[in-house]
Amino acid sequence: MDFTPGAAVAAQFRQACAEFNFKHRPKFPSLIVVLDHTAQSLAQSDVVRTDAGADPRLWADLRKLWRDLTRMQLSFWDNDDSDEDDDQHRGNQQQNGLRAVCMSLAKFTRNLVAGVPDNQLRAYENEPDMRHLLHFYTSWSAMEDNESVATARLLTQALSNTVTANDALVARLWETYMNLPEDQVVLIRLLGSPDPRTLLTTLIFILNCIHGSKKRALLLTRTKVGVRICIGLLDNMVGLHEAEEGSDGAKAFDVGYAIFTQFIENGMVPDLYKKFTIPNEIVTPHQTTLLKLLDSYLQSTQLNTTSIHLPEILKTHENLGSFLAKRFFMLSDYAQQAMRRSLGVSPVHQNGETTSEDATLERPSSESLSSGKSAESLSSSSSALTPFPQELDVMLPKVCEALVLITQCIVTISLGAEEQQTRLDESISTIVSFTNMKQYFILKKSSDVGVIESLIELLRLLDAFLPRINFGKPVNRDGTPGSSSQPGIGDGSGFSYLKRDLVRLLGVLSHGEKAIQDRTREAGGLPVVMNLCVVDERNPYLREHAIFTLHSLLKDNQENQEFVNSIKPSQEWDEDGTLKTRVGATILR
């Protein structure tokens, strides 16, 4: 009788199982040879796998193998209290044999179920045993052994193939995993693996489980286990970020990025961000990493006229609006308060009054500037400021780092909205209507303070608090060389790009918006922007963005033009394009 290739595989497998006994270690090699050979045959095509799976006796033998292997493996050391060297040596040999069988059986199962729903359904009864073995091989001690790491990887592949593209099985597995005790969740343990190949396999497994299912993705934000998995994912994204291109680590990063893309497009960012909160900390490392991924996603999906996903992109932007605005106000307010404490400056209330006798960083009013006063007289209000911070906030650099990311996200969304509105006005868009998120950010307020006003006050304080860097050296507000050891600022890495991105956001929001031009002038923002038309190595292209923003603020606005013309700096621009004597509250060189 002629056998099809699949039937031959099943026959070979059953014969090997019939001759095998876990208590007889010399039988191990023959079973391993058959498992490896048949696994290669199963990898050839779906037809071979389907024919092999059509034999019901194969599934009974497979079930017995997994069950017996699990019992042997998990009970192996239970009654072994011997310290004799010979017994220890025999024990190691037995352990190595069980591990070799596990690897070969995992390969056989992985190939048997791949892409064949009937085979997946029949093999799923082995999932608890595969999970228990995977838990064993991801223990701290096991992960120190290369062979155990390889075994864990093969078991993960077998589990992944058992459910991939089978929605019913994925749903069962995912529900089970999200409700297990945390110490039993193999995904959390796998995410702690130091092996890039294992991480790649694990991330593919997770992506396959949540792909196309918002319900399963949402379980990651609504269960304790899910949040722990997300924390593990973020930790790995940080570690894999600089992996060499083309390496397993780089591939793992790309799959991890695809997972977070699912989170973003399913509107999960606000919930995830909240879950990463730590009491008494304004921003946490995991929140910052999440913002970095969000910023990268928005940059990569900038609107274009040919995108077939344009409606989905616009909807994602709309869903992020409230989250980004709230974070901006919260972080901006924190940064302002921290800098005021450092500078010994009293908070300015809405009525313009202060509450203490400390020095105040006054806003130059429109009347004082339009009256033709010189820059020296306008800078006198800052003369009482202490040269070094009086009170240092260790969280301020982290807050500013997060502010940069939030600001970049708002800029990207606002530019996209402006582009889409232009196409809509010119009747070249396939979208009939949409929520203009630029207008949303323009109108958004917190405690009766708008984004524009908060942004300007933040820039004003940053200009006084953070010296600019020119030719690698800090420059004080009065133009003198600054101290490179100024306390509280350190290397300034947390503050990089903040002035640049804030002034860029102001330029984007004010472009073609008369109301924003006027609000900027009324908030004292024009001299702030003018004072940013300088070179600052901590903020590449700051001068160019400030000039563009100033152009947007002055275009077709007679009041703003007259306001700027009325300012009479005592000196002219120097050869590098920097105003020698600055307008407003401070002087820079």
Side-chain angles (χ1 to χ4, degrees):
M1 180 178 179
D2 293 333
F3 287 105
T4 65
V9 166
Q12 294 173 53
F13 175 75
R14 287 188 290 105
Q15 181 64 34
C17 290
E19 298 173 355
F20 181 73
N21 188 332
F22 273 107
K23 295 181 180 180
H24 191 199
R25 190 161 55 85
K27 293 285 187 179
F28 283 21
S30 59
L31 176 65
I32 291 170
V33 169
V34 172
L35 288 173
D36 290 345
H37 174 72
T38 52
Q40 291 178 358
S41 300
L42 289 168
Q44 293 176 5
S45 70
D46 289 350
V47 174
V48 175
R49 294 190 286 273
T50 301
D51 288 347
D55 187 341
R57 292 169 295 181
L58 175 146
W59 298 106
D61 289 339
L62 182 65
R63 179 76 195 99
K64 185 176 185 302
L65 267 183
W66 277 115
R67 183 178 62 246
D68 292 349
L69 174 61
T70 304
R71 288 174 180 171
M72 286 290 294
Q73 184 71 83
L74 300 186
S75 63
F76 181 75
W77 302 105
D78 286 353
N79 301 312
D80 187 5
D81 297 325
S82 174
D83 291 329
E84 296 294 334
D85 290 342
D86 288 345
D87 290 339
Q88 183 69 31
H89 177 68
R90 286 195 296 272
N92 289 337
Q93 286 185 321
Q94 180 76 356
Q95 175 63 27
N96 291 338
L98 290 174
R99 184 172 55 212
V101 171
C102 185
M103 293 179 70
S104 295
L105 185 57
K107 282 189 284 188
F108 177 86
T109 305
R110 176 195 67 188
N111 293 357
L112 176 64
V113 299
V116 182
D118 287 342
N119 290 5
Q120 291 175 316
L121 183 60
R122 290 175 174 175
Y124 189 77
E125 64 179 339
N126 301 304
E127 184 276 329
D129 289 318
M130 288 190 279
R131 173 166 31 99
H132 291 147
L133 287 167
L134 185 53
H135 188 271
F136 175 84
Y137 283 109
T138 52
S139 66
W140 182 84
S141 58
M143 295 300 274
E144 296 293 313
D145 177 71
N146 290 335
E147 290 298 314
S148 293
V149 169
T151 305
R153 183 167 61 248
L154 287 167
L155 285 165
T156 305
Q157 292 171 351
L159 278 172
S160 181
N161 281 7
T162 300
V163 299
T164 294
N166 191 318
D167 197 65
L169 293 182
V170 171
R172 286 171 58 184
L173 178 138
W174 203 243
E175 186 73 24
T176 298
Y177 283 23
M178 292 300 104
N179 290 284
L180 285 171
E182 190 172 320
D183 64 345
Q184 295 297 314
V185 181
V186 292
L187 291 176
I188 296 175
R189 297 163 75 103
L190 285 166
L191 288 171
S193 172
D195 176 49
R197 291 182 64 190
T198 299
L199 289 175
L200 175 59
T201 300
T202 304
L203 294 173
I204 290 173
F205 185 18
I206 294 173
L207 180 60
N208 288 344
C209 286
I210 67 171
H211 182 71
S213 174
K214 183 176 182 178
K215 179 181 178 180
R216 291 194 290 272
L218 286 174
L219 283 176
L220 290 170
T221 65
R222 296 176 179 175
T223 62
K224 184 178 180 181
V225 166
V227 174
R228 283 286 291 110
I229 289 173
C230 290
I231 289 173
L233 287 169
L234 286 171
D235 288 339
N236 277 294
M237 295 302 285
V238 173
L240 296 169
H241 176 60
E242 295 186 357
E244 184 178 351
E245 186 175 355
S247 66
D248 289 325
K251 294 175 184 176
F253 180 87
D254 291 340
V255 177
Y257 185 84
I259 291 172
F260 279 96
T261 294
Q262 296 279 308
F263 295 165
I264 295 168
E265 294 178 348
N266 283 318
M268 296 166 54
V269 169
D271 284 343
L272 273 179
Y273 191 91
K274 189 179 300 182
K275 289 295 193 302
F276 299 148
T277 300
I278 297 176
N280 302 319
E281 288 198 26
I282 184 68
V283 64
T284 67
H286 291 114
Q287 288 174 329
T288 301
T289 304
L290 181 62
L291 291 176
K292 289 179 180 179
L293 291 168
L294 177 60
D295 178 43
S296 177
Y297 169 84
L298 292 173
Q299 294 279 356
S300 66
T301 57
Q302 282 189 337
L303 304 184
N304 61 77
T305 56
T306 61
S307 175
I308 61 174
H309 302 295
L310 183 56
E312 291 85 354
I313 294 173
L314 292 172
K315 187 63 177 177
T316 298
H317 288 186
E318 183 179 345
N319 291 338
L320 289 168
S322 177
F323 164 76
L324 292 172
K326 288 179 180 178
R327 298 286 81 73
F328 179 85
F329 283 121
M330 182 179 70
L331 295 172
S332 176
D333 182 64
Y334 184 97
Q336 290 179 42
Q337 292 184 42
M339 286 187 286
R340 286 185 179 280
R341 290 193 301 269
S342 294
L343 294 167
V345 176
S346 302
V348 178
H349 296 287
Q350 293 178 14
N351 60 8
E353 298 177 354
T354 58
T355 56
S356 74
E357 296 180 358
D358 294 336
T360 58
L361 185 64
E362 299 175 358
R363 298 179 183 175
S365 65
S366 57
E367 291 78 8
S368 64
L369 287 172
S370 60
S371 65
K373 292 184 178 180
S374 68
E376 287 100 337
S377 64
L378 292 171
S379 66
S380 61
S381 61
S382 65
S383 59
L385 293 178
T386 55
F388 296 113
Q390 296 180 345
E391 178 182 336
L392 306 178
D393 191 322
V394 295
M395 286 302 298
L396 183 57
K398 296 299 182 183
V399 168
C400 289
E401 181 184 11
L403 261 172
V404 168
L405 297 166
I406 292 289
T407 301
Q408 289 176 346
C409 289
I410 295 175
V411 165
T412 302
I413 291 176
S414 298
L415 287 173
E418 187 169 42
E419 181 181 348
Q420 177 60 24
Q421 186 63 56
T422 300
R423 292 200 298 267
L424 193 63
D425 294 340
E426 296 175 356
S427 300
I428 59 174
S429 173
T430 58
I431 306 297
V432 177
S433 63
F434 78 109
T435 301
N436 190 321
M437 294 307 296
K438 176 181 174 179
Q439 294 301 317
Y440 173 87
F441 291 120
I442 285 174
L443 298 174
K444 189 67 176 176
K445 289 187 175 183
S446 176
S447 301
D448 207 33
V449 176
V451 171
I452 301 300
E453 289 73 19
S454 178
L455 182 160
I456 290 171
E457 185 63 18
L458 182 58
L459 275 173
R460 189 194 325 276
L461 287 164
L462 277 169
D463 206 25
F465 174 79
L466 194 65
R468 66 187 178 97
I469 303 296
N470 202 7
F471 297 107
K473 297 180 180 179
V475 180
N476 289 330
R477 298 191 310 274
D478 60 1
T480 60
S483 170
S484 58
S485 60
Q486 182 170 347
I489 295 178
D491 63 4
S493 57
F495 302 95
S496 298
Y497 312 110
L498 184 54
K499 290 181 184 178
R500 182 199 70 181
D501 288 335
L502 287 172
V503 79
R504 183 188 181 203
L505 175 58
L506 179 58
V508 170
L509 295 181
S510 63
H511 182 255
E513 301 287 342
K514 176 68 161 57
I516 304 306
Q517 294 174 333
D518 293 341
R519 281 171 58 184
T520 300
R521 181 185 70 252
E522 293 162 2
L526 288 175
V528 172
V529 175
M530 294 174 71
N531 286 339
L532 293 174
C533 297
V534 294
V535 173
D536 183 354
E537 293 167 15
R538 190 179 281 127
N539 290 270
Y541 301 105
L542 171 64
R543 178 171 61 180
E544 288 77 5
H545 282 293
I547 291 173
F548 172 81
T549 297
L550 190 60
H551 172 77
S552 295
L553 291 168
L554 299 182
K555 186 176 181 181
D556 300 325
N557 191 308
Q558 187 66 30
E559 296 91 337
N560 283 4
Q561 293 172 15
E562 292 176 356
F563 183 87
V564 171
N565 287 334
S566 67
I567 299 174
K568 299 181 176 63
S570 61
Q571 300 184 50
E572 301 298 328
W573 301 85
D574 63 18
E575 62 274 6
D576 73 350
T578 302
L579 193 63
K580 292 182 179 179
T581 301
R582 303 184 60 203
V583 301
T586 59
I587 298 175
L588 285 186
R589 288 285 297 175

